[in-house]
Amino acid sequence: RRRGGPAPRCDVDAPAGPTRSQALALRAWAVASLEGFGPAARCFRSALDEVDAGTPSEIEVLQGLAWSTHETDVRLAEPLARRALSSAELSGDVEQIAVSQTLVDFLCSLGGKGISIDAVASAVEVVQSSSRRLQIMCHPDWLHGMLLVWEDRLPEGLQRFQTMLADAIARGDEQSLPFVLFHLARTELLLGSW
């Protein structure tokens, strides 16, 4: 989208209900990939007005809104991630609890509250056997890899990104590849592998 172009379309043509809620969440993630996190935040906010409380769609929308907001103000993003975590805990969905907790821990790290590598590593174990397709932005593996690199544990971070690359290729997850490849290449550079 060019600057000054039309605002992203955040609505979907579907009757109210779980299918529409899921479509709104997916639409907002698509806007994030295509147009950036500012426009995506608007779509996630719009979707949040329509999704039912305590549903998987609400949790995903809150996660997406937290991620999209963190680039402008991590202090605004953290409460959104905590809200996603509360909804996930109420739902009892172990995977969504792990994803939401990871996002909270990651945002706390960005906010200067310490790096929660061990807590995030626990979430990685919970979602590794999942058949659910998780958005890369909130995926515990990806966030764990970044935290490892930030903690200067470069060989471990490299291993995490190499594993993610192999998994993404095996699953045909083309959406995740640019994010994984960027951090894999960056980690190799930091290790001196030009």
Side-chain angles (χ1 to χ4, degrees):
R1 173 169 96 90
R2 293 185 181 153
R3 285 188 194 270
R9 183 169 175 255
C10 298
D11 198 18
V12 295
D13 293 329
T19 302
R20 179 178 172 79
S21 295
Q22 186 178 18
L24 287 167
L26 290 172
R27 174 73 181 152
W29 280 116
V31 169
S33 293
L34 297 171
E35 303 194 28
F37 295 116
R42 289 190 292 277
C43 286
F44 281 117
R45 278 191 200 93
S46 174
L48 191 57
D49 291 338
E50 294 196 46
V51 297
D52 292 329
T55 62
S57 294
E58 182 202 35
I59 298 165
E60 184 174 357
V61 166
L62 284 165
Q63 290 167 349
L65 182 55
W67 182 265
S68 296
T69 303
H70 97 276
E71 287 206 343
T72 54
D73 193 338
V74 76
R75 294 168 301 171
L76 297 176
E78 187 184 331
L80 294 165
R82 289 191 185 282
R83 216 171 122 193
L85 177 58
S86 293
S87 290
E89 288 171 340
L90 286 173
S91 76
D93 184 328
V94 177
E95 287 179 8
Q96 284 292 19
I97 292 169
V99 171
S100 296
Q101 183 65 62
T102 299
L103 187 56
V104 168
D105 292 338
F106 182 77
L107 292 171
C108 286
S109 296
L110 287 179
K113 298 177 184 174
I115 296 180
S116 304
I117 291 178
D118 294 333
V120 174
S122 298
V124 169
E125 292 177 23
V126 171
V127 299
Q128 275 185 337
S129 61
S130 173
S131 60
R132 182 186 294 174
R133 186 170 180 194
L134 300 171
Q135 292 294 332
I136 186 67
M137 301 301 175
C138 299
H139 203 291
D141 274 348
W142 189 62
L143 297 175
H144 187 238
M146 285 193 289
L147 290 174
L148 286 167
V149 170
W150 294 348
E151 185 70 8
D152 202 29
R153 292 166 58 178
L154 298 176
E156 292 171 82
L158 181 68
Q159 179 62 47
R160 173 70 57 213
F161 293 126
Q162 288 171 334
T163 300
M164 287 190 72
L165 176 62
D167 290 345
I169 291 170
R171 286 183 284 111
D173 183 5
E174 293 178 4
Q175 182 243 343
S176 296
L177 287 177
F179 300 98
V180 175
L181 287 168
F182 173 83
H183 283 282
L184 179 60
R186 185 175 179 278
T187 305
E188 287 179 341
L189 282 173
L190 291 170
L191 283 165
S193 177
W194 292 79

